[in-house]
Structures are given as C-alpha cells and as structure tokens.
C-alpha cells in the first residue's frame, strides 16, 4: 500500500482568509485537496486490515503511548477551522467603515480646525457644528454596532457544541489494551475506536469489524436512509464516490444501529469535513445588498463632488472666500444622507426582531434585505421538502395491490426480532399500529431468529403460533427472491417461474421509479427445533413487497406555491438519487418540465460555460450532486443575474450556503452549516421562509424610502442653494441651521422602520437600482427647487428681504418652507398611491413628521432659534406658506403618476 502522506493542520484559532463564493479557482483548489484525500481513503479501503494497521504502526490493541505522542506532535488536535467572532472593539471600529460616516468624520475634523482651533478671536470658538456632526456619527455607528453585536451573540449561542467523546482503545505502559472515553479532539491517526448506536464518528475511519452497523450519512449525501457498513476489503473503489465504500466511515456522521471497531485514518483538517470547513472560513465577499448600498453611496458621492465645488466657487466669487468655504462644507453635509447607515441598520434590526418572534435567528442583518430581493431559492430535499423520516408508503402483494396480510407479517418480523431496529423496522411498526402489534403479541412467540448480515442482506424470525413454526423473512428484493421457490397468487402458492420473476422485477422497478425503496417479504413453514440457521432460509413463498419513502411535508406544497406567487422560483439541489428527487418534487408541486440534471451530467458540461449557465437556468431539479457542484450551481445563478438563497443543513451544503446571497440553515444543522449560514431557522419549514421574504421586502421598502426621500430632497435643496448662491448677495442659509435641519429631519426618519408598505410592493422581489435612483433624483428633486425659488421670490419681493440687513428674515422664511416641505414630501414619496387617502403612514411616522413640522414653525420664534441667527416671521407669511405647500403636494402627486406610468414602478 502507498504511504499515507499528510500536511499539518491549520494552527488552532487561525482561519484561512477565503471569499464567500468559492469561484472557479477556489473550486479547483478544494477539488484538488479533496481528490488527494480521496486517494488516501481509497487506498485505505482497498488495503487488507493488517497491512493498514502496520502502515499506521498500530494494532487491534491500539497505539502505544509513544505512538500517540508522535501522532499528536505530527498531526495536532482533531479540530477543524471555525469562524471566530471579532472582538467587540474591532466590531465597533468596523462600523465606521461607511463612506457617508467617513465623510462626516472628515467634515467634523475640518470644522474643528475652522470653527474651534483657528476661529476668529473676535467671535470665539464655536462647537455647534462639530457637536452636531459628532452626534450624527456616534448615533449611527453605535446603533449599527449594537445591533450586529447582539445578533452575533445570539447566533454564537446556537453554535456552542456540547463536548463529544468516543471510545478509544490504546495500549497502556504494559502493552495491554485499555478502552476509555476520550474527547474527539484527542483522537489521532492510528487510534482504534469502538462504535455503538448513537455515536458520532470522530474522524475518517476504516472499519475493521462490524456487526449490523448502519451509519447515517445524510449530512454528506442528503439521503434519508442509513448506509450499511462492513469491514470487507474493497477490490476497487471509485474515488469520486467514496461514500459508497462499505468499509469507510466519515467524520461527523453517526451510528444508527449496530456496532463496530475502526482504525482512524484522517483527523482534523485532513478529514472530508475538515477540508470543507477549512476552505469555507474567513472573510465573505459582498452580497447583492452590499453591492447595492455601495452603488447608491457612490452615486450620491458623485453628485456631491460636482455640487460642492460649484457652491464654493460661486459663493467665493460673489461673496467672501471664508464664508464660502464654511458654506461649502455645510453643503457637503446637506448632500450626505448621513443617517443612511443608521436608518438601514434600524430597519434591518426591526426586521430581525420581528423574525426572531417567528423562530428565526438573523446572524447577518444584511441577509434580511437579501431575502426580500431573492428571486431564486435553492434548497436541499431532506427535511425541507420532506419530513426527514422514513414511512411505509405501500405494502403490496405480488399483484401490486395493497395487502393487510403483507403488513401484518412484516410487522411480526420487525416486532419479534431481538436486534436493534433500524428506521425501516420502525416505519413498519408505526404503519401497523398498536392494535395489530397487540394482536401479534397474543398470537405468536419468538422461537429463534437468523440476524441480518451484509452478505445475504435479509433477516428472519421463527415464530410459534400454530402447529408448525412460521419463518418470516424480510430483506433486499434480490436476496429474498434467491430463497423463494413459490409466490402467493390469490391466496395459494404458485411456482416462481422465470416469467413470474420478470413480472415481479417489473413491479419493483415501477416502485423504484417513483422514488420508493423496496424490500421483499417471504414466509415458510419450518420443522420444529431449537436452533435455526441461514440454511433454513429456503423453499420460501414470496408474499409481497414493502415500499418506503421519506414523505413530503404537508406544508411544503402550499409554501412553494406561495413563493412562486411572490416571484421566488424554487430549485431543488440534492445529493439523493434522481428517482427519489423527482417523486418528492412532483408531490410538492415542483415540475421538471425541462428535465432533471444529475451530477454526472453537470460534470460533462463543466468545460462549456455557456452550456452550463443555460442548463442551470433552465432546470429546476439537480440530483446526485456533490458539494462543489451545489456551490457551482448557486454561483452560476448569481452570475446569471439572480439574487440566490440556499437552504441546507449538512456538511455537503456548507459551500453552497456561503456562495449564496443569503445562506439559510437550521438550529439542528451541523456546526459548519450554521457557521456558513446568514439566517438560522429554529423550525425547518419553507412557510417560515415565505414570511421572512415578505419581511425582507418590507424592510427594503422602508430603506429605499429613506434613500429616495433624502437623496431627492437634498438634491433639490442643494440645487436651490446653487441658484441662490449665484443670485443673492448673502449666504442663503445659516450653516449651523443647515446642520440642525438635517439632524432633525433624519431623527424623524428613525420612525420609518415602523412604517407600512403597500401590498403590491410585496408581491415581487425588490433589488437595488442605482440607475433608478439617479432618475428619481433628477425627476423629483427639481420639484422642490421650483417651490424653493418661489419662496426666494416671495421673501425678496413681498417681504423685502433683499439686502444684507434683511438676510436673517430671508434665511428664516426659507428654513421654515424647506424643512416642512422636506418632511411633508415623506408622505408623498412613501407610497405610489394617493397619500392619506389610499395609503396612510404608520402612527410613529405621522407623529414624528408632525413634530418636525411644528419644530420648524416654532424655532424662528424661540430664543434658541434666534440664538442661531433666525428671526420671527410675520404672520402674513403663513398663508403664502400654506399655498406653496399645497401646490407642492399637488404637483408632486401629478409627477408621481406620470413617473409610474412611464417606468412602471415608484419605490
């Protein structure tokens, strides 16, 4: 056998820095790593046990103390890489990593120099601007930090794992074998482990001895049924399908029944589980939400880079350069949606709170919006579409008709066996029910049994219930047919001719085509004695067949139909076989009209990117795919322009969970799946997801409201400032008042997370559109400028505020009109309907926007406002104000209807 070469583990606490989406290169690297490990495992499966023990310098007595020490030094602890949360101070600092927050920080520093350090000695230092900007920054950053820190803590509590131990046989100092329970982290290559029902496999293993051993490998394969294991040396092993090797076991899988002894071959990062975990930890790249925020941010920054220099130059040429510089800074603040990070976080945090009441933990707040934008949901089959349990779907006679006698005899076989019952036995007993079982217990008693073994793949009980003992055999179809000479036809035995055998095989094939696993059932009358053996299983009569299935969830079909109605297409990606996948999908309403693709077919398309992209787009069911193919499918869908969610809970789902825009797992999932996910469901149900998608769209609607409201009004205000700067002999608005106006308006926007969203907005996926935002700004922003200019004319010609002496009156009149119109427009923009009549804002929005309007009216008359430089307005101003605001609302509503008619959407 070839030497098993290994590489050292990643040091504990260090995680490789890898992107969220593996990408083609990462796929290749991980595939090469897995191929190398598969080669080692294939060699182990084909090596005789003693040769393999010699290779690892071990024996059935276990490793000697010196061998354990050497293995620990060479391979390290049996641990895999995990993402570790950053310290709180680092999370707080990263909350500053936002372009708008950074702009405000720069402006605050500039104001510190201009208004405080180098202030005019005659006026003294002014801290108003610095304090106002500081409050904006701290409130935004602190809120974002707290919400994400708290969400991270909640998710981390789910990920804490109880220490798991395993029975390990090692030699003591006298060379005697001693079996003790050790933490799985202390297991090393060469160790001998003892396995029993309920144990988790601590590493990748080569079985040396088994007794009725069945392993649940669902987290790797996606299949519900357990896998039978044996120590038989494989003659040939397909490295692409190592999970089918009977003599190998894999870390993280668990023992359903039976017992076994195994040699540890790979530990830690060298296991299949470890390789996946190591490649999937570290930094995640941007999702569609992150990219959308960035596009919007840079769009607004581009406007700022154009407007601010213009305002500065125009004011500098027409007035003095010092006041022009200060007003230029204030203009930059006015164009900055400084509360965007906080408003986004507040909306997402409220969404997270509402989802937590539905048993959903949101690990990454941005994932809520991604749920709303998701137009394709990829999901595994087991436990999501199905109940993740085996049921006896049919009990058929040899004609293919339902037979109570077949059910009764199968229940007797399962009830009286003395070994550990597997999932199929439990399904038979559940189908029979307590009345039938009670009747059987009264009618029969156990004489003997011939236990199940992997070579003959059947088990027999011998029961006493009449004049002669009754043998009942249940097992794999081929193996049961081998011991049958007759079949039960219409209540009488008939010879099992080749023609009848072909008919039976066709019947079984039909059941298999529907995704059912079929066992055969046979009986015979035996001669009475004490002991029975395999040789007694002969000349039996075939009674019929038992067909098993992991049934679909009752809620799955309705949930999928609801997802489709709301614009989210469901695609199934499973490691299970195509027959089972197709059957379950048909039962829950997922059609495969374009066909079904298997992993082998996908591999054939791997080199043709265009064909691969088209196949992934067209098909809705993907069966028998490996973990890397799952991730490739998800990434290809994202490349095709979709916002993709993936739902899974196994090791084989981890790569796809990280590749998706939003990864969804469950609280009972393996730890690597929970780590890779963005959202964790405490109840694995698509109905919960459908509600989450609606919540995501509502959250996004309220976020986009703020962006469009603020961007358009700020753009309109600054356009007005540009015109005023060119025409007026004085600064059109007091700089500190501009800062105060922005702060008060933005504080009122904190009510938006509690606002309602029109029902039609929730009917389809919602995505970021930076181009749409620019179009919106250019359409709606100038409307406010029209009425700003009318207010300029009003103050200049009607109220005589046309000189430096009357600048304060002009600035006060524009402040009141500007703040009230900016706040009133909130109700115009928040809905595509007629505000107040067809769509009314929530009470928090009504109260806070109303309070801002009152504040605008009162401030010029207050001592505080007059301390800022404002003056009282004449009462004759207010009828003009009412007319201006009414005309503003009517014109905005008219433009809104034209905009919706032209572009088909509003928000």
């Amino acid at each position: 056998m070839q030497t098993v070469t290994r590489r050292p583990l990643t040091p504990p606490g260090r995680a490789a820095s890898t992107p969220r989406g593996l990408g083609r290169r990462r796929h290749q690297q991980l595939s090469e790593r897995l191929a190398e490990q598969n080669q080692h495992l294939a060699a182990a499966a084909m090596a005789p046990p003693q040769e393999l023990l010699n290779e690892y310098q071990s024996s059935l007595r276990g490793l000697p103390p010196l061998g354990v020490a050497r293995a620990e030094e060479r391979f390290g602890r049996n641990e895999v890489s995990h993402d570790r949360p950053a310290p709180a101070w680092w999370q707080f600092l990263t909350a500053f990593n936002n372009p708008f927050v950074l702009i405000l920080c720069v402006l605050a520093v500039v104001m510190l120099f201009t208004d405080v350090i180098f202030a005019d000695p005659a006026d003294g230092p002014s801290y108003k601007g610095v304090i106002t900007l500081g409050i904006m920054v701290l409130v935004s950053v602190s809120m974002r930090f707290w919400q994400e820190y708290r969400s991270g803590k909640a998710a981390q509590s789910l990920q804490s794992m109880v220490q798991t131990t395993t029975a390990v046989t090692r030699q003591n100092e006298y060379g005697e074998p001693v079996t003790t329970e050790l933490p799985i982290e202390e297991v090393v290559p060469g160790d001998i482990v003892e396995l029993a029902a309920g144990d988790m496999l601590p590493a990748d293993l080569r079985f040396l001895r088994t007794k009725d051993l069945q392993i649940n490998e669902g987290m790797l394969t996606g299949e519900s049924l357990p896998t039978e294991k044996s120590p038989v040396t494989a003659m040939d092993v397909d490295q692409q399908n190592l999970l089918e090797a009977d003599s190998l076991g894999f870390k993280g899988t668990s023992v359903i029944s039976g017992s076994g002894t195994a040699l540890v071959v790979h530990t830690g990062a060298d296991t299949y589980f470890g390789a996946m975990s190591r490649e999937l930890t570290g930094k995640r790249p941007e999702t569609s939400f992150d990219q959308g925020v960035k596009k919007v941010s840079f769009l607004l920054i581009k406007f700022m880079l154009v407007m601010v220099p213009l305002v500065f130059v125009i004011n500098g040429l027409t007035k003095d350069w010092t006041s022009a510089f200060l007003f230029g800074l204030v203009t930059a603040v006015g164009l900055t949606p400084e509360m965007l990070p906080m408003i986004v976080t507040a909306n997402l945090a409220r969404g997270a709170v509402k989802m937590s009441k539905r048993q959903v933990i949101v690990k990454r707040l941005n994932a809520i919006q991604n749920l709303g934008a998701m137009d394709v949901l990829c999901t595994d089959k087991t436990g999501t579409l199905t109940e993740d349990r085996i049921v006896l779907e049919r009990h058929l006679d040899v004609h293919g008709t339902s037979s109570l006698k077949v059910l009764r005899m199968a229940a007797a076989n399962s009830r009286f066996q003395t070994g550990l019952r597997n999932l199929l036995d439990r399904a038979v007993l559940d189908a029979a029910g307590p009345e039938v079982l009670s009747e059987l217990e009264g009618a029969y008693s156990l004489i003997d049994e011939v236990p199940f073994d992997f070579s003959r793949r059947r088990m027999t009980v011998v029961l006493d219930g009449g004049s002669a003992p009754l043998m009942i055999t249940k097992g794999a179809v081929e193996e049961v047919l081998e011991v049958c000479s007759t079949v039960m036809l219409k209540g009488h035995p008939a010879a099992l001719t080749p023609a009848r055998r072909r008919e039976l095989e066709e019947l079984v094939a039909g059941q298999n085509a529907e995704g059912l696993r079929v066992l055969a059932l046979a009986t015979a009358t035996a001669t009475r004695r004490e002991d029975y053996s395999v040789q007694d299983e002969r000349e039996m009569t075939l009674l019929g067949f038992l067909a098993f299935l992991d049934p679909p969830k009752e809620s799955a079909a309705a949930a999928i139909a609801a997802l489709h109605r709301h614009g989210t297409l469901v695609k199934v990606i499973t490691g299970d076989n195509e027959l089972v996948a197709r059957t379950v999908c048909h039962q829950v309403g997922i059609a495969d009209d374009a066909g079904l693709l298997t992993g082998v077919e996908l591999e054939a398309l791997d080199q043709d990117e265009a064909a691969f992209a088209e196949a992934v787009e067209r098909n809705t069911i993907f069966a028998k795919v490996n973990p890397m193919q799952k991730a490739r499918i998800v990434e290809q869908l994202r490349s095709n322009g979709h916002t993709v969610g993936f739902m899974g809970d196994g090791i084989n789902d981890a790569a796809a969970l990280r590749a998706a825009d939003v990864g969804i797992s469950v609280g009972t999932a393996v730890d690597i799946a929970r780590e890779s996910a963005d959202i964790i469901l405490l109840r694995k149900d698509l109905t919960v997801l459908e509600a989450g998608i609606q919540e995501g769209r509502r959250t996004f609607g309220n976020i986009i409201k703020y962006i469009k409201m603020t961007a358009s009004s700020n753009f309109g205000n600054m356009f007005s400032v540009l015109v005023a700067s060119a025409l007026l002999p004085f600064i059109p608005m007091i700089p500190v008042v501009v800062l105060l106006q922005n702060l008060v308006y933005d504080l009122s926007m904190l009510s938006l997370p509690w606002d309602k969203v029109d029902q039609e907005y929730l009917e389809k996926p919602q995505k970021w559109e930076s181009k749409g935002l620019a179009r919106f700004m250019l359409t709606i922003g100038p409307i406010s400028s029209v009425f700003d200019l009318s207010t300029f004319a009003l103050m200049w010609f009607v109220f005589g505020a046309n000189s430096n002496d009357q600048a304060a009156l002009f600035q006060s009149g524009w402040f009141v009109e500007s703040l009230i119109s900016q706040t009133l427009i909130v109700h115009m923009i928040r809905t595509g309907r007629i505000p107040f009549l067809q769509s009314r804002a929530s009470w928090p929005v009504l109260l806070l926007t109303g309070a801002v309007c009152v504040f605008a009216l009162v401030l010029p008359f207050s001592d505080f406002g007059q301390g800022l430089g404002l003056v009282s307005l004449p009462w004759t101003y207010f009828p003009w104000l009412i007319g201006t605001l009414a005309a503003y609302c009517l014109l905005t509503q008219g433009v809104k209807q034209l905009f919706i008619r032209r572009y088909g959407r509003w928000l």
Side-chain angles (χ1 to χ4, degrees):
M1 174 185 168
Q2 66 186 72
T3 302
V4 181
T5 57
R6 309 281 289 281
R7 60 174 58 83
L9 286 166
T10 300
R14 291 178 57 188
S17 179
T18 59
R20 179 189 185 91
L22 291 178
R24 181 174 286 271
R25 183 178 178 185
R26 299 295 292 172
H27 280 303
Q28 184 177 359
Q29 291 175 346
L30 182 53
S31 296
E32 289 174 355
R33 179 175 174 82
L34 291 174
E36 181 182 345
Q37 293 176 346
N38 288 353
Q39 184 179 2
H40 301 155
L41 289 171
M46 293 186 289
Q50 189 56 52
E51 182 179 332
L52 193 61
L53 287 168
N54 294 340
E55 181 67 33
Y56 282 87
Q57 299 179 355
S58 183
S59 69
L60 290 175
R61 294 179 299 165
L63 284 170
L66 183 59
V68 173
R70 287 174 177 169
E72 288 175 344
E73 181 180 357
R74 181 180 178 189
F75 302 115
R77 290 173 63 82
N78 182 26
E79 295 176 330
V80 297
S81 301
H82 297 281
D83 278 325
R84 286 167 170 75
W89 63 268
W90 179 254
Q91 292 184 49
F92 180 76
L93 289 179
T94 55
F96 284 87
N97 186 23
N98 178 276
F100 298 131
V101 171
L102 295 176
I103 288 172
L104 291 181
C105 290
V106 171
L107 295 177
V109 171
V110 174
M111 280 193 172
L112 179 66
F113 280 94
T114 58
D115 292 3
V116 179
I117 299 176
F118 300 115
D120 188 340
D123 298 330
S126 173
Y127 293 94
K128 295 175 182 176
V130 175
I131 292 174
T132 303
L133 289 178
I135 291 173
M136 290 178 177
V137 170
L138 285 178
V139 170
S140 178
V141 167
S142 299
M143 187 171 182
R144 184 168 188 85
F145 158 73
W146 175 244
Q147 292 297 342
E148 294 202 339
Y149 178 78
R150 187 172 63 175
S151 297
K153 282 291 185 184
Q156 191 178 0
S157 65
L158 272 180
Q159 297 173 3
S160 58
M161 296 180 65
V162 178
Q163 187 183 60
T164 305
T165 62
T166 189
V168 179
T169 300
R170 288 177 176 172
Q171 299 179 34
N172 61 16
E173 60 269 29
Y174 305 109
E176 299 169 341
V178 178
T179 301
T180 55
E181 288 286 333
L182 294 177
I184 62 172
E185 293 80 11
E186 297 181 13
V187 171
V188 297
D191 267 331
I192 302 298
V193 296
E194 305 291 339
L195 301 170
D199 287 348
M200 186 180 80
L201 272 63
D204 288 352
L205 311 172
R206 166 64 153 88
F207 294 108
L208 306 176
R209 179 195 63 82
T210 63
K211 179 174 175 57
D212 303 336
L213 184 64
Q214 297 199 22
I215 304 293
N216 178 8
E217 294 182 337
M219 63 180 60
L220 291 175
T221 64
E223 295 191 9
S224 307
L225 294 171
T227 305
E228 303 165 350
K229 296 295 182 180
S230 73
V232 178
T233 301
M235 299 302 296
D236 186 25
V237 174
D238 182 1
Q239 293 184 27
Q240 301 300 317
N241 296 291
L242 279 177
L243 296 175
E244 297 178 0
D246 292 341
S247 59
L248 295 178
F250 298 88
K251 180 179 174 67
T253 59
S254 57
V255 180
I256 295 295
S257 64
S259 61
T261 301
L263 171 71
V264 175
V265 177
H266 286 170
T267 58
D270 288 333
T271 62
Y272 185 93
F273 183 6
M276 295 290 295
S277 179
R278 185 175 183 178
E279 298 296 332
L280 297 172
T281 54
K283 185 180 178 181
R284 300 164 178 244
E286 296 173 337
T287 63
S288 62
F289 178 86
D290 303 316
Q291 294 167 359
V293 172
K294 179 177 286 187
K295 287 179 181 178
V296 169
S297 301
F298 282 107
L299 174 67
L300 297 177
I301 289 172
K302 288 176 183 177
F303 276 104
M304 189 187 307
L305 292 175
V306 173
M307 294 290 288
V308 171
L310 281 175
V311 170
F312 170 64
V313 171
I314 291 173
N315 277 285
L317 293 174
T318 58
K319 304 161 190 73
D320 65 280
W321 290 98
T322 302
S323 60
F325 178 73
L326 179 60
F327 194 68
L329 291 178
V330 172
T331 302
V333 175
L335 277 173
T336 304
E338 56 276 338
M339 291 298 180
L340 177 60
M342 184 171 70
I343 297 295
V344 169
T345 303
N347 272 283
L348 296 175
R350 171 146 176 84
V353 170
K354 291 186 71 174
M355 292 179 74
S356 68
K357 295 177 181 178
R358 298 175 180 268
Q359 295 186 307
V360 178
I361 299 295
V362 179
K363 285 179 59 182
R364 298 176 70 240
L365 291 180
N366 291 357
I368 298 175
Q369 189 277 330
N370 286 330
L371 265 184
M374 180 175 69
D375 58 345
V376 174
L377 171 65
C378 299
T379 177
D380 66 349
K381 174 185 65 65
T382 305
T384 306
L385 304 181
T386 66
E387 296 285 356
D388 197 13
R389 62 183 177 87
I390 302 300
V391 298
L392 179 61
E393 186 78 2
R394 300 167 187 167
H395 36 89
L396 309 173
D397 60 22
V398 294
H399 302 288
T401 332
S402 181
S403 168
L404 290 177
K405 182 177 181 180
V406 170
L407 174 61
R408 190 170 180 270
M409 290 296 98
N413 176 281
S414 297
R415 170 62 187 84
F416 287 103
Q417 65 166 298
T418 60
L420 288 170
R421 297 189 182 97
N422 59 32
L423 296 177
L424 302 179
D425 288 312
R426 294 191 184 99
V428 170
L429 297 177
D430 289 341
E435 291 185 6
V436 172
L437 295 179
S438 177
E439 176 192 340
L440 292 173
E441 289 171 358
Y444 298 104
S445 61
L446 180 65
I447 299 175
D448 196 8
E449 67 180 320
V450 185
F452 177 90
D453 65 59
F454 289 101
S455 59
R456 53 188 248 284
R457 300 178 65 194
R458 59 180 183 263
M459 73 85 52
T460 298
V461 294
V462 185
L463 305 180
D464 188 0
S467 56
L470 175 66
M471 295 181 65
I472 307 175
T473 299
K474 177 176 91 263
V477 174
E478 285 297 322
E479 281 70 9
V480 172
L481 284 175
E482 284 180 2
V483 297
C484 289
S485 59
T486 57
V487 296
M488 188 65 69
L489 292 176
K490 298 180 180 181
H492 301 284
L496 180 56
T497 63
R500 286 184 178 138
R501 186 180 182 111
R502 284 193 297 271
E503 291 174 359
L504 294 172
E505 289 172 348
E506 289 175 1
L507 173 61
V508 171
Q511 303 302 308
N512 288 334
E514 295 183 43
L516 300 171
R517 177 172 177 176
V518 180
L519 298 183
L521 187 74
T523 61
T525 302
T527 304
R528 187 176 297 276
R529 57 177 180 275
E530 293 184 1
D531 297 322
Y532 294 84
S533 66
V534 174
Q535 284 69 33
D536 294 298
E537 294 175 333
R538 57 190 178 84
E539 302 298 323
M540 303 191 78
T541 299
L542 182 71
L543 286 188
F545 303 99
L546 307 168
F548 299 86
L549 181 68
D550 182 3
K553 286 186 175 179
E554 291 184 7
S555 62
I560 289 169
L563 288 169
H564 285 171
R565 283 197 307 272
H566 294 145
T568 302
L569 176 66
V570 178
K571 291 178 181 279
V572 176
I573 308 177
T574 178
D576 212 339
N577 70 72
E578 56 268 34
L579 298 177
V580 173
R582 180 177 276 115
T583 297
V584 171
C585 288
H586 282 183
Q587 290 175 336
V588 299
I590 299 176
D592 62 337
D593 298 334
L596 178 150
L597 275 184
T598 65
V600 174
E601 292 168 334
L602 281 172
E603 188 174 350
L605 295 173
D606 195 51
Q607 301 304 316
D608 187 341
E609 293 189 12
F612 187 90
E614 194 275 333
V616 166
E617 186 74 24
R618 185 182 70 252
N619 288 274
T620 54
I621 306 174
F622 304 87
K624 210 70 177 176
V625 294
N626 63 43
M628 291 302 96
Q629 288 174 327
K630 288 187 178 186
R632 276 290 315 280
I633 293 168
V634 170
E635 288 187 339
Q636 186 60 62
L637 287 169
R638 291 186 65 192
S639 298
N640 290 356
H642 298 287
T643 299
V644 184
F646 184 86
M647 186 172 179
D649 61 356
I651 300 170
N652 60 333
D653 297 319
L657 284 167
R658 292 182 69 93
D661 286 295
V662 53
I664 307 154
S665 193
V666 292
T668 55
V670 297
D671 58 346
I672 186 176
R674 293 200 305 268
E675 283 185 5
S676 301
D678 304 304
I679 288 178
I680 298 175
L681 309 182
L682 301 184
R683 181 163 58 93
K684 192 172 184 180
D685 195 332
L686 286 179
T687 305
V688 175
L689 261 191
E690 198 273 333
I693 289 172
Q694 298 296 296
E695 184 60 36
R697 292 175 186 174
R698 188 199 65 79
T699 300
F700 177 74
N702 286 331
I703 292 173
I704 207 67
K705 284 177 192 176
Y706 171 77
I707 293 174
K708 289 192 171 182
M709 291 169 186
T710 305
S712 59
S713 63
N714 284 2
F715 175 73
N717 285 342
M718 291 307 107
F719 185 78
S720 302
V721 165
L722 193 64
V723 175
S725 299
L727 299 178
L728 298 177
F730 47 79
I731 297 294
M733 192 175 288
I734 304 166
V736 71
V737 172
V738 175
L739 294 177
L740 180 63
Q741 177 178 331
N742 283 351
L743 180 61
V744 171
Y745 168 78
D746 282 331
L747 288 177
S748 73
M749 293 298 94
L750 290 178
S751 61
L752 280 179
W754 284 264
D755 196 18
K756 296 174 285 188
V757 175
D758 295 337
Q759 184 60 37
E760 58 266 22
Y761 189 82
L762 304 177
E763 294 302 320
K764 58 182 180 180
Q766 303 295 338
K767 297 183 180 182
W768 292 86
E769 291 186 7
S770 55
K771 291 182 180 179
L773 176 62
R775 186 169 55 226
F776 191 93
M777 287 174 59
L778 295 173
T779 303
I780 304 300
I783 297 177
S784 66
S785 296
V786 170
F787 292 94
D788 283 339
L789 294 176
S790 72
T791 302
F792 294 168
L794 175 71
M795 301 308 296
W796 185 275
F797 296 109
V798 177
F799 293 100
N802 50 20
S803 66
N804 287 324
D805 294 338
Q806 296 297 316
L809 179 61
F810 183 99
Q811 292 161 346
S812 300
W814 188 32
F815 164 75
V816 174
E817 184 272 337
S818 177
L819 182 54
I820 293 180
S821 63
Q822 184 180 22
T823 306
L824 190 61
I825 205 66
V826 166
H827 296 276
M828 308 299 297
I829 291 179
R830 63 165 294 276
T831 176
R833 304 175 182 178
I834 300 175
F836 303 110
L837 299 178
Q838 295 179 335
S839 177
R840 180 176 59 81
S842 63
W843 281 109
V845 175
L846 289 170
L847 292 174
L848 276 181
T849 54
V852 170
C853 292
V854 172
F855 174 81
L857 293 170
V858 170
L859 185 65
F861 298 93
S862 67
D863 293 337
F864 176 69
Q866 293 176 5
L868 297 176
L870 299 175
V871 297
S872 300
L873 291 162
W875 293 107
T876 52
Y877 165 81
F878 292 100
W880 289 97
L881 175 65
I882 293 172
T884 299
L885 295 175
Y888 185 15
C889 290
L890 289 174
L891 180 58
T892 303
Q893 183 64 30
V895 173
K896 180 202 298 185
Q897 298 305 318
L898 293 174
F899 188 94
I900 295 173
R901 202 171 301 162
R902 171 76 182 276
Y903 299 109
R905 62 180 298 162
W906 179 241
L907 290 179

